[in-house]
Coordinates of all heavy atoms in Angstrom, one line a residue:
L1 N 1.3 -1.7 10.4 CA 0.6 -2.1 9.2 C 1.4 -1.7 8.1 O 1.3 -0.5 7.5 CB -0.9 -1.5 9.1 CG -1.8 -2.0 10.2 CD1 -3.1 -1.1 10.1 CD2 -2.1 -3.4 10.0
P2 N 2.3 -2.4 7.5 CA 3.1 -2.2 6.3 C 2.3 -2.4 5.1 O 1.9 -3.5 4.7 CB 4.3 -3.1 6.4 CG 3.8 -4.4 7.2 CD 2.7 -3.9 8.1
I3 N 1.9 -1.3 4.5 CA 1.0 -1.3 3.3 C 1.8 -0.7 2.1 O 2.5 0.3 2.2 CB -0.2 -0.5 3.6 CG1 -1.0 -1.1 4.8 CG2 -1.2 -0.5 2.4 CD1 -2.1 -0.2 5.3
K4 N 1.6 -1.4 1.0 CA 2.2 -1.0 -0.3 C 1.5 0.4 -0.6 O 0.2 0.5 -0.3 CB 2.1 -1.8 -1.5 CG 3.0 -3.0 -1.2 CD 3.0 -3.9 -2.3 CE 3.9 -5.2 -2.2 NZ 3.7 -6.1 -3.3
N5 N 2.1 1.4 -1.2 CA 1.6 2.7 -1.6 C 0.4 2.4 -2.6 O 0.7 1.8 -3.6 CB 2.5 3.7 -2.1 CG 2.0 5.0 -2.0 OD1 1.1 5.4 -1.3 ND2 2.6 6.0 -2.7
T6 N -0.6 2.9 -2.3 CA -1.9 2.9 -3.2 C -2.7 4.2 -2.9 O -2.7 4.6 -1.9 CB -2.7 1.6 -2.9 OG1 -3.9 1.7 -3.8 CG2 -3.1 1.5 -1.5
R7 N -3.5 4.4 -4.0 CA -4.5 5.6 -3.8 C -5.7 5.1 -3.2 O -6.5 6.0 -2.7 CB -4.7 6.3 -5.2 CG -3.6 6.9 -5.8 CD -3.9 7.7 -7.1 NE -2.8 8.3 -7.6 CZ -2.7 9.3 -8.3 NH1 -3.9 9.9 -8.6 NH2 -1.7 9.8 -8.7
Q8 N -6.0 3.8 -3.2 CA -7.2 3.2 -2.5 C -6.9 3.1 -1.0 O -5.8 2.8 -0.7 CB -7.5 2.0 -3.1 CG -7.8 2.0 -4.6 CD -9.1 2.7 -4.9 OE1 -10.0 2.7 -4.1 NE2 -9.2 3.2 -6.1
P9 N -7.9 3.4 -0.2 CA -7.8 3.1 1.3 C -7.4 1.5 1.4 O -8.0 0.7 0.6 CB -9.1 3.4 1.8 CG -9.8 4.3 0.9 CD -9.2 3.9 -0.5
S10 N -6.4 1.3 2.2 CA -6.0 0.0 2.4 C -5.6 -0.2 3.8 O -5.0 0.7 4.4 CB -4.8 -0.4 1.6 OG -4.4 -1.7 1.5
G11 N -6.0 -1.4 4.5 CA -5.6 -1.6 5.9 C -6.5 -0.9 6.8 O -6.3 -0.9 8.0
Q12 N -7.5 -0.3 6.4 CA -8.5 0.5 7.1 C -9.2 -0.3 8.3 O -9.2 0.1 9.5 CB -9.5 1.2 6.3 CG -10.4 2.0 7.1 CD -11.4 2.9 6.1 OE1 -11.3 2.6 5.0 NE2 -12.2 3.6 6.6
S13 N -9.6 -1.5 8.0 CA -10.4 -2.4 8.9 C -9.4 -2.7 10.0 O -9.7 -2.6 11.2 CB -11.0 -3.5 8.2 OG -11.6 -4.4 9.3
S14 N -8.2 -3.3 9.7 CA -7.3 -3.8 10.7 C -6.8 -2.6 11.5 O -6.7 -2.6 12.8 CB -6.0 -4.4 10.1 OG -6.5 -5.5 9.3
C15 N -6.6 -1.4 11.0 CA -6.1 -0.3 11.7 C -7.2 0.1 12.7 O -6.9 0.5 13.8 CB -5.7 0.8 10.7 SG -5.2 2.4 11.6
L16 N -8.5 0.3 12.2 CA -9.5 0.8 13.1 C -9.8 -0.2 14.2 O -10.2 0.2 15.3 CB -10.7 1.1 12.1 CG -10.5 2.4 11.4 CD1 -11.9 2.5 10.5 CD2 -10.1 3.7 12.0
Q17 N -9.7 -1.4 14.0 CA -9.9 -2.5 15.0 C -8.9 -2.3 16.1 O -9.3 -2.3 17.2 CB -9.9 -3.9 14.4 CG -11.1 -4.2 13.4 CD -11.0 -5.5 12.8 OE1 -10.6 -6.5 13.4 NE2 -11.4 -5.6 11.5
A18 N -7.6 -2.2 15.7 CA -6.7 -1.9 16.7 C -6.8 -0.6 17.5 O -6.6 -0.6 18.7 CB -5.2 -1.9 16.0
M19 N -7.2 0.4 16.8 CA -7.5 1.7 17.5 C -8.6 1.5 18.4 O -8.5 2.1 19.5 CB -7.8 2.7 16.4 CG -6.5 3.2 15.6 SD -6.9 4.4 14.3 CE -7.3 5.8 15.2
A20 N -9.7 0.9 18.0 CA -10.9 0.6 18.9 C -10.5 -0.2 20.2 O -11.1 0.0 21.2 CB -12.0 -0.1 18.1
C21 N -9.5 -1.0 20.0 CA -8.9 -1.7 21.3 C -8.0 -0.9 22.0 O -7.4 -1.5 23.0 CB -8.3 -3.0 20.7 SG -9.5 -4.2 20.1
G22 N -7.6 0.3 21.6 CA -6.7 1.2 22.4 C -5.3 0.8 22.1 O -4.4 1.0 23.0
K23 N -5.0 0.2 21.1 CA -3.6 -0.2 20.7 C -3.0 0.8 19.8 O -3.5 1.4 19.0 CB -3.6 -1.6 20.0 CG -4.2 -2.7 20.7 CD -3.4 -2.9 22.1 CE -4.0 -3.9 22.9 NZ -3.3 -4.2 24.2
A24 N -1.6 1.0 20.1 CA -0.9 2.0 19.2 C -0.7 1.3 17.9 O -0.6 0.1 17.7 CB 0.5 2.2 19.9
V25 N -0.7 2.0 16.8 CA -0.7 1.6 15.4 C 0.4 2.4 14.8 O 0.6 3.5 14.8 CB -1.9 1.8 14.7 CG1 -1.8 1.5 13.2 CG2 -3.2 1.1 15.4
V26 N 1.4 1.5 14.0 CA 2.2 2.0 13.1 C 1.8 1.7 11.8 O 1.6 0.5 11.5 CB 3.7 1.4 13.4 CG1 4.7 1.9 12.4 CG2 4.1 1.6 14.8
L27 N 1.7 2.6 10.9 CA 0.9 2.5 9.6 C 1.7 3.3 8.6 O 2.2 4.3 8.7 CB -0.4 3.2 9.8 CG -1.3 3.4 8.6 CD1 -1.9 1.9 8.1 CD2 -2.5 4.2 9.0
S28 N 1.7 2.6 7.4 CA 2.3 3.2 6.2 C 1.5 4.5 5.8 O 0.2 4.4 5.8 CB 2.4 2.3 5.1 OG 3.2 1.2 5.4
N29 N 2.2 5.5 5.5 CA 1.6 6.7 5.2 C 1.3 6.7 3.6 O 2.0 7.3 2.9 CB 2.4 7.9 5.6 CG 1.6 9.2 5.4 OD1 0.5 9.3 5.1 ND2 2.4 10.4 5.5
I30 N 0.3 5.9 3.2 CA 0.0 5.8 1.8 C -0.8 6.9 1.2 O -1.4 7.6 2.0 CB -0.8 4.4 1.6 CG1 -2.1 4.4 2.4 CG2 0.2 3.1 2.0 CD1 -3.0 3.2 2.0
D31 N -0.8 7.1 -0.1 CA -1.6 8.1 -0.8 C -3.0 7.9 -0.5 O -3.8 8.9 -0.4 CB -1.4 8.0 -2.2 CG 0.0 8.4 -2.7 OD1 0.7 9.2 -1.9 OD2 0.4 8.0 -3.7
G32 N -3.5 6.7 -0.3 CA -4.9 6.5 0.1 C -5.3 6.5 1.5 O -6.3 6.0 2.0
L33 N -4.4 7.1 2.3 CA -4.7 7.1 3.8 C -6.1 7.9 4.0 O -6.3 8.9 3.3 CB -3.7 8.0 4.5 CG -3.8 7.9 6.1 CD1 -3.6 6.5 6.6 CD2 -2.8 8.8 6.7
W34 N -7.0 7.2 4.5 CA -8.4 7.5 4.6 C -8.9 8.9 5.3 O -9.9 9.5 4.9 CB -9.4 6.4 4.9 CG -9.0 5.9 6.3 CD1 -9.7 6.2 7.5 CD2 -8.0 4.9 6.6 NE1 -9.0 5.5 8.5 CE2 -8.1 4.6 7.9 CE3 -7.1 4.3 5.8 CZ2 -7.3 3.8 8.5 CZ3 -6.3 3.2 6.5 CH2 -6.4 3.1 7.8
N35 N -8.1 9.3 6.3 CA -8.5 10.6 6.9 C -7.2 11.1 7.7 O -6.7 10.6 8.6 CB -9.6 10.2 7.9 CG -10.1 11.5 8.5 OD1 -9.4 12.3 9.1 ND2 -11.5 11.5 8.3
H36 N -6.8 12.1 7.1 CA -5.6 12.8 7.6 C -6.0 13.6 9.0 O -5.0 14.0 9.7 CB -4.9 13.7 6.7 CG -4.2 13.0 5.6 ND1 -3.0 12.5 5.7 CD2 -4.7 12.5 4.3 CE1 -2.7 11.8 4.6 NE2 -3.7 11.8 3.8
D37 N -7.2 13.9 9.3 CA -7.6 14.6 10.3 C -7.5 13.7 11.7 O -7.2 14.2 12.7 CB -9.1 15.1 10.3 CG -9.2 16.2 9.2 OD1 -8.2 17.0 8.9 OD2 -10.3 16.4 8.6
W38 N -7.9 12.5 11.4 CA -7.9 11.5 12.6 C -6.5 10.7 12.6 O -6.1 10.3 13.8 CB -9.0 10.4 12.4 CG -10.4 11.2 12.3 CD1 -10.7 12.3 12.9 CD2 -11.5 10.6 11.7 NE1 -12.0 12.6 12.6 CE2 -12.5 11.5 11.9 CE3 -11.7 9.4 11.1 CZ2 -13.9 11.3 11.5 CZ3 -13.1 9.2 10.6 CH2 -14.1 10.1 10.9
M39 N -5.9 10.5 11.6 CA -4.6 9.6 11.5 C -3.4 10.7 11.5 O -2.8 10.9 10.5 CB -4.6 8.8 10.3 CG -5.9 8.1 9.9 SD -6.4 7.2 11.3 CE -5.4 5.7 11.2
V40 N -3.1 11.2 12.7 CA -2.1 12.1 12.9 C -0.9 11.6 13.4 O -0.9 11.0 14.5 CB -2.7 13.3 13.8 CG1 -1.6 14.4 13.9 CG2 -3.9 14.0 13.3
D41 N 0.3 11.7 12.7 CA 1.5 11.1 13.1 C 1.9 11.7 14.4 O 2.1 12.8 14.7 CB 2.5 11.4 12.1 CG 3.9 10.8 12.3 OD1 3.8 9.7 12.8 OD2 4.9 11.3 12.0
G42 N 2.2 10.7 15.3 CA 2.7 11.1 16.7 C 1.6 11.5 17.7 O 1.9 11.7 18.8
E43 N 0.3 11.5 17.2 CA -0.8 11.8 18.1 C -1.8 10.7 18.2 O -2.1 10.5 19.3 CB -1.5 13.2 17.6 CG -0.7 14.4 17.7 CD -1.4 15.6 17.4 OE1 -2.6 15.7 17.4 OE2 -0.8 16.6 16.9
T44 N -2.2 10.3 17.1 CA -3.1 9.1 17.1 C -2.6 7.8 16.5 O -3.0 6.7 16.9 CB -4.3 9.5 16.4 OG1 -4.1 9.8 15.1 CG2 -5.2 10.6 17.1
V45 N -1.4 7.9 15.6 CA -0.9 6.8 15.0 C 0.6 7.3 14.8 O 1.0 8.4 14.9 CB -1.4 6.4 13.7 CG1 -2.9 5.9 13.8 CG2 -1.4 7.5 12.6
I46 N 1.4 6.3 14.4 CA 2.7 6.6 13.9 C 2.9 6.2 12.5 O 2.5 5.1 12.0 CB 3.9 5.9 14.7 CG1 3.9 6.3 16.2 CG2 5.2 6.0 14.0 CD1 4.9 5.7 17.0
L47 N 3.1 7.1 11.6 CA 3.2 7.0 10.3 C 4.6 6.7 9.7 O 5.5 7.4 10.2 CB 2.5 8.2 9.5 CG 1.0 8.4 9.8 CD1 0.5 9.7 9.1 CD2 0.2 7.3 9.3
T48 N 4.6 5.9 8.8 CA 6.1 5.6 8.2 C 5.9 5.6 6.6 O 4.8 5.4 6.2 CB 6.5 4.2 8.7 OG1 5.8 3.2 8.2 CG2 6.7 4.2 10.1
P49 N 7.0 5.9 5.9 CA 6.9 5.9 4.5 C 6.6 4.6 4.1 O 7.2 3.5 4.5 CB 8.3 6.4 4.1 CG 8.8 7.0 5.2 CD 8.3 6.4 6.5
P50 N 5.8 4.3 3.1 CA 5.5 3.0 2.5 C 6.8 2.4 1.9 O 7.6 3.1 1.3 CB 4.4 3.1 1.5 CG 4.3 4.6 1.3 CD 4.9 5.3 2.4
G51 N 7.0 1.1 2.2 CA 8.1 0.5 1.7 C 9.4 0.6 2.4 O 10.4 -0.1 2.2
N52 N 9.4 1.4 3.5 CA 10.7 1.6 4.2 C 10.7 0.7 5.5 O 10.3 1.1 6.6 CB 10.8 3.1 4.6 CG 12.1 3.4 5.3 OD1 12.7 2.6 5.9 ND2 12.5 4.7 5.1
V53 N 11.2 -0.5 5.3 CA 11.2 -1.5 6.3 C 12.1 -1.1 7.5 O 11.8 -1.5 8.7 CB 11.6 -2.9 5.9 CG1 10.7 -3.4 4.9 CG2 13.0 -2.8 5.3
Y54 N 13.1 -0.3 7.3 CA 14.0 0.2 8.3 C 13.2 1.1 9.3 O 13.4 1.0 10.5 CB 15.3 0.7 7.8 CG 16.0 -0.3 7.1 CD1 16.0 -0.2 5.6 CD2 16.7 -1.4 7.6 CE1 16.7 -1.0 4.9 CE2 17.4 -2.2 6.9 CZ 17.4 -2.2 5.4 OH 18.1 -3.1 4.7
Q55 N 12.6 2.1 8.7 CA 11.8 3.0 9.6 C 10.6 2.4 10.2 O 10.3 2.7 11.4 CB 11.4 4.3 8.7 CG 10.8 5.3 9.7 CD 10.6 6.6 9.0 OE1 9.6 6.8 8.4 NE2 11.6 7.6 9.1
L56 N 10.0 1.4 9.5 CA 8.8 0.7 10.2 C 9.4 -0.1 11.5 O 8.9 0.0 12.5 CB 8.3 -0.3 9.3 CG 7.2 -1.3 9.8 CD1 6.0 -0.4 10.0 CD2 7.0 -2.4 8.8
A57 N 10.6 -0.8 11.3 CA 11.1 -1.5 12.4 C 11.6 -0.4 13.5 O 11.4 -0.8 14.7 CB 12.3 -2.3 12.0
E58 N 12.1 0.6 13.1 CA 12.6 1.7 14.1 C 11.3 2.1 15.0 O 11.4 2.3 16.2 CB 13.2 2.8 13.4 CG 13.7 3.9 14.2 CD 14.3 5.0 13.4 OE1 15.4 4.9 12.8 OE2 13.6 6.1 13.2
K59 N 10.2 2.3 14.3 CA 9.0 2.9 15.0 C 8.4 1.8 15.9 O 8.0 2.1 16.9 CB 8.0 3.4 14.0 CG 8.6 4.6 13.2 CD 8.9 5.8 14.1 CE 9.4 6.9 13.3 NZ 9.8 8.0 13.9
V60 N 8.4 0.5 15.4 CA 7.9 -0.5 16.2 C 8.8 -0.6 17.5 O 8.3 -0.8 18.7 CB 7.7 -1.8 15.5 CG1 7.5 -3.0 16.4 CG2 6.7 -1.8 14.4
E61 N 10.1 -0.5 17.3 CA 11.0 -0.7 18.4 C 10.8 0.4 19.4 O 10.8 0.4 20.6 CB 12.4 -0.7 18.0 CG 13.5 -0.9 19.0 CD 14.9 -1.1 18.5 OE1 15.1 -0.9 17.2 OE2 15.9 -1.1 19.4
L62 N 10.5 1.6 18.8 CA 10.3 2.8 19.7 C 9.2 2.5 20.7 O 9.2 2.9 21.8 CB 9.9 4.1 18.8 CG 9.5 5.3 19.6 CD1 10.6 5.9 20.4 CD2 8.9 6.3 18.6
L63 N 8.1 2.0 20.1 CA 7.0 1.6 21.0 C 7.1 0.6 22.0 O 6.7 0.6 23.1 CB 5.7 1.3 20.1 CG 5.1 2.4 19.3 CD1 4.0 1.8 18.4 CD2 4.7 3.6 20.1
V64 N 8.0 -0.5 21.5 CA 8.3 -1.5 22.5 C 9.1 -1.0 23.6 O 8.9 -1.4 24.8 CB 9.1 -2.7 21.8 CG1 9.7 -3.6 22.6 CG2 8.1 -3.4 20.7
K65 N 10.1 -0.1 23.3 CA 10.9 0.5 24.4 C 10.2 1.6 25.2 O 10.8 1.9 26.2 CB 12.2 1.0 23.7 CG 13.2 -0.1 23.2 CD 14.4 0.5 22.7 CE 15.4 -0.7 22.1 NZ 16.6 -0.1 21.7
N66 N 9.1 2.2 24.7 CA 8.4 3.2 25.4 C 7.0 2.9 25.6 O 6.2 3.4 24.7 CB 8.7 4.5 24.5 CG 8.1 5.7 25.4 OD1 7.4 5.5 26.3 ND2 8.8 6.8 25.0
P67 N 6.7 2.0 26.5 CA 5.3 1.6 26.8 C 4.4 2.7 27.1 O 3.2 2.7 26.8 CB 5.4 0.5 27.8 CG 6.7 0.5 28.3 CD 7.6 1.4 27.5
A68 N 4.9 3.8 27.7 CA 4.1 4.9 28.0 C 3.5 5.7 26.7 O 2.3 6.1 26.7 CB 4.9 5.9 28.9
L69 N 4.5 5.7 25.7 CA 4.1 6.4 24.5 C 3.1 5.4 23.8 O 2.0 6.0 23.3 CB 5.4 6.5 23.6 CG 5.1 7.0 22.2 CD1 4.4 8.3 22.2 CD2 6.4 7.0 21.4
A70 N 3.3 4.2 23.8 CA 2.4 3.3 23.2 C 1.0 3.3 23.8 O -0.1 3.4 23.2 CB 2.9 1.9 23.3
A71 N 0.9 3.4 25.2 CA -0.3 3.6 25.9 C -1.0 4.9 25.6 O -2.2 4.9 25.4 CB 0.0 3.4 27.4
C72 N -0.3 6.0 25.4 CA -0.9 7.3 25.2 C -1.4 7.3 23.8 O -2.5 7.7 23.5 CB 0.3 8.4 25.3 SG -0.4 10.1 25.0
L73 N -0.6 6.8 22.7 CA -1.2 6.7 21.4 C -2.4 5.9 21.3 O -3.4 6.2 20.6 CB -0.1 6.1 20.5 CG 1.0 7.0 20.1 CD1 2.0 6.3 19.3 CD2 0.5 8.1 19.2
G74 N -2.5 4.7 22.1 CA -3.6 3.8 22.2 C -4.8 4.6 22.7 O -5.9 4.4 22.2
M75 N -4.6 5.4 23.7 CA -5.8 6.1 24.4 C -6.3 7.0 23.4 O -7.5 7.2 23.3 CB -5.4 6.6 25.6 CG -5.2 5.7 26.8 SD -4.8 6.4 28.5 CE -4.4 8.1 28.2
R76 N -5.5 7.8 22.7 CA -5.8 8.8 21.8 C -6.5 8.2 20.6 O -7.5 8.8 20.1 CB -4.6 9.6 21.4 CG -4.1 10.5 22.4 CD -3.0 11.3 21.9 NE -2.3 12.1 23.0 CZ -1.1 12.6 22.9 NH1 -0.4 12.2 21.8 NH2 -0.6 13.2 23.8
S77 N -6.1 7.1 20.1 CA -6.6 6.4 18.9 C -8.0 5.9 19.3 O -9.0 6.0 18.5 CB -5.7 5.5 18.3 OG -5.6 4.4 19.2
R78 N -8.2 5.4 20.5 CA -9.5 4.8 20.9 C -10.5 6.1 21.0 O -11.6 5.8 20.7 CB -9.4 4.2 22.2 CG -10.8 3.8 22.7 CD -10.8 2.5 23.6 NE -12.1 2.3 24.1 CZ -13.0 1.5 23.6 NH1 -12.7 0.8 22.5 NH2 -14.2 1.3 24.1
A79 N -10.0 7.2 21.5 CA -11.0 8.3 21.6 C -11.4 8.7 20.3 O -12.5 9.1 20.1 CB -10.2 9.4 22.3
V80 N -10.6 8.7 19.2 CA -10.9 9.0 17.8 C -12.1 8.1 17.5 O -13.1 8.5 16.8 CB -9.7 8.9 16.9 CG1 -10.1 8.9 15.4 CG2 -8.8 10.1 17.1
V81 N -11.9 6.8 17.6 CA -12.9 5.8 17.3 C -14.2 6.1 18.0 O -15.2 6.0 17.3 CB -12.4 4.3 17.5 CG1 -13.5 3.3 17.2 CG2 -11.2 4.1 16.5
E82 N -14.1 6.4 19.3 CA -15.4 6.7 20.0 C -16.0 7.8 19.6 O -17.2 7.9 19.5 CB -15.0 6.7 21.5 CG -14.6 5.4 22.1 CD -14.2 5.5 23.6 OE1 -13.9 6.6 24.0 OE2 -14.1 4.4 24.3
E83 N -15.3 8.9 19.3 CA -15.9 10.2 19.0 C -16.4 10.3 17.5 O -17.5 10.8 17.3 CB -14.8 11.2 19.2 CG -15.5 12.7 18.9 CD -14.4 13.8 19.0 OE1 -13.4 13.5 19.9 OE2 -14.6 14.9 18.7
H84 N -15.6 9.7 16.6 CA -15.9 9.7 15.1 C -16.4 8.5 14.5 O -17.0 8.7 13.4 CB -14.8 10.4 14.4 CG -14.3 11.6 15.0 ND1 -14.8 12.8 14.7 CD2 -13.1 11.9 15.7 CE1 -14.3 13.8 15.3 NE2 -13.1 13.3 15.8
L85 N -16.1 7.4 15.0 CA -16.5 6.2 14.3 C -17.4 5.1 15.0 O -17.4 4.0 14.7 CB -15.1 5.5 13.9 CG -14.3 6.5 13.1 CD1 -12.9 5.9 12.9 CD2 -14.9 6.6 11.7
S86 N -18.0 5.6 16.1 CA -18.9 4.8 16.8 C -20.1 4.5 16.0 O -20.3 5.2 15.0 CB -19.5 5.4 18.1 OG -20.2 6.5 17.9
S87 N -20.9 3.5 16.3 CA -22.1 3.1 15.5 C -23.1 4.2 15.5 O -23.7 4.5 14.4 CB -22.7 1.8 16.0 OG -23.0 1.8 17.3
S88 N -23.2 5.0 16.6 CA -24.2 6.1 16.5 C -23.7 7.2 15.7 O -24.5 7.9 15.1 CB -24.5 6.6 18.0 OG -23.2 6.9 18.7
S89 N -22.4 7.6 15.7 CA -22.0 8.6 14.9 C -22.0 8.3 13.4 O -22.3 9.1 12.6 CB -20.5 9.1 15.2 OG -19.6 8.0 15.0
M90 N -21.8 7.0 13.1 CA -21.9 6.5 11.7 C -23.4 6.6 11.3 O -23.6 7.0 10.2 CB -21.3 5.1 11.5 CG -19.8 5.0 11.9 SD -18.8 6.0 10.8 CE -18.8 4.9 9.4
A91 N -24.3 6.2 12.1 CA -25.7 6.2 11.9 C -26.2 7.7 11.6 O -26.9 8.0 10.7 CB -26.5 5.6 13.0
E92 N -25.6 8.6 12.4 CA -25.9 10.0 12.3 C -25.4 10.5 11.0 O -26.2 11.2 10.2 CB -25.3 10.8 13.4 CG -25.6 12.3 13.3 CD -25.1 13.0 14.6 OE1 -25.1 12.6 15.6 OE2 -24.6 14.2 14.3
A93 N -24.2 10.1 10.6 CA -23.6 10.5 9.3 C -24.4 10.0 8.1 O -24.7 10.7 7.1 CB -22.2 10.1 9.2
M94 N -24.8 8.8 8.2 CA -25.7 8.2 7.2 C -27.1 8.9 7.1 O -27.5 9.1 6.0 CB -25.9 6.6 7.5 CG -26.7 6.0 6.4 SD -26.0 6.0 4.7 CE -24.9 4.7 4.9
A95 N -27.6 9.2 8.2 CA -28.9 10.0 8.2 C -28.8 11.3 7.5 O -29.6 11.7 6.8 CB -29.4 10.1 9.6
N96 N -27.7 12.1 7.9 CA -27.3 13.3 7.1 C -27.2 13.1 5.6 O -27.7 13.9 4.8 CB -26.1 13.9 7.7 CG -26.3 14.4 9.1 OD1 -27.5 14.7 9.5 ND2 -25.2 14.5 9.9
I97 N -26.6 12.1 5.3 CA -26.4 11.9 3.8 C -27.8 11.5 3.1 O -28.1 12.1 2.1 CB -25.5 10.7 3.5 CG1 -24.1 11.0 3.8 CG2 -25.5 10.2 2.1 CD1 -23.0 9.8 3.9
L98 N -28.7 10.8 3.7 CA -29.9 10.4 3.3 C -30.8 11.6 3.2 O -31.6 11.8 2.2 CB -30.5 9.3 4.0 CG -29.8 7.9 3.9 CD1 -30.4 6.9 4.8 CD2 -29.9 7.5 2.5
E99 N -30.7 12.5 4.3 CA -31.5 13.8 4.2 C -31.2 14.5 3.1 O -32.1 15.2 2.5 CB -31.3 14.4 5.6 CG -32.1 13.8 6.7 CD -31.8 14.5 8.0 OE1 -31.4 15.7 8.0 OE2 -32.1 14.0 9.0
R100 N -29.9 14.7 2.8 CA -29.4 15.5 1.6 C -29.9 15.0 0.4 O -30.1 15.7 -0.7 CB -28.0 15.8 1.6 CG -27.6 16.8 2.8 CD -26.1 17.0 2.7 NE -25.5 15.8 3.3 CZ -24.3 15.6 3.5 NH1 -23.4 16.6 3.4 NH2 -23.8 14.5 3.9
A101 N -30.0 13.7 0.2 CA -30.4 13.0 -1.1 C -31.8 13.2 -1.2 O -32.3 13.3 -2.3 CB -30.0 11.5 -1.0

């Protein structure tokens, strides 16, 4: 996901959909990256500097040439979605917000 640098979250839906499908994601490390705890370079995603097309291409090529790495990243990213972003975990988070309000 080559994203221009912005402070606003961007590309979140596409990224999370790919992660939910267990796909490895190469994502621009923008200022608005929505969660640094879940979006960890080399563990759950691969982050590249925004606007650096050469490094983006290099990272995509790395995954193409190393399917085991791509599969591992995909499994880890799917686990993040299942653990933190499932409908039940989102409902629980919403209930906690409403209880505090």
Side-chain angles (χ1 to χ4, degrees):
L1 298 167
I3 302 170
K4 291 183 180 180
N5 198 20
T6 177
R7 291 181 182 213
Q8 298 291 337
S10 183
Q12 183 174 3
S13 178
S14 297
C15 180
L16 293 177
Q17 289 175 44
M19 291 172 70
C21 291
K23 299 299 179 184
V25 174
V26 179
L27 174 69
S28 297
N29 191 8
I30 60 172
D31 292 338
L33 191 65
W34 55 94
N35 192 302
H36 290 277
D37 294 331
W38 302 334
M39 313 305 282
V40 180
D41 185 35
E43 291 184 28
T44 56
V45 296
I46 293 181
L47 298 173
T48 62
N52 188 328
V53 296
Y54 299 107
Q55 192 169 82
L56 177 69
E58 180 181 288
K59 298 303 181 177
V60 169
E61 185 177 358
L62 171 70
L63 292 176
V64 169
K65 289 183 176 180
N66 192 338
L69 174 61
C72 185
L73 284 170
M75 288 183 348
R76 289 180 186 157
S77 65
R78 174 148 174 101
V80 164
V81 172
E82 289 175 346
E83 183 177 342
H84 300 287
L85 301 166
S86 68
S87 55
S88 59
S89 64
M90 297 299 280
E92 184 179 322
M94 180 63 80
N96 289 336
I97 290 169
L98 294 173
E99 284 178 15
R100 286 182 289 192

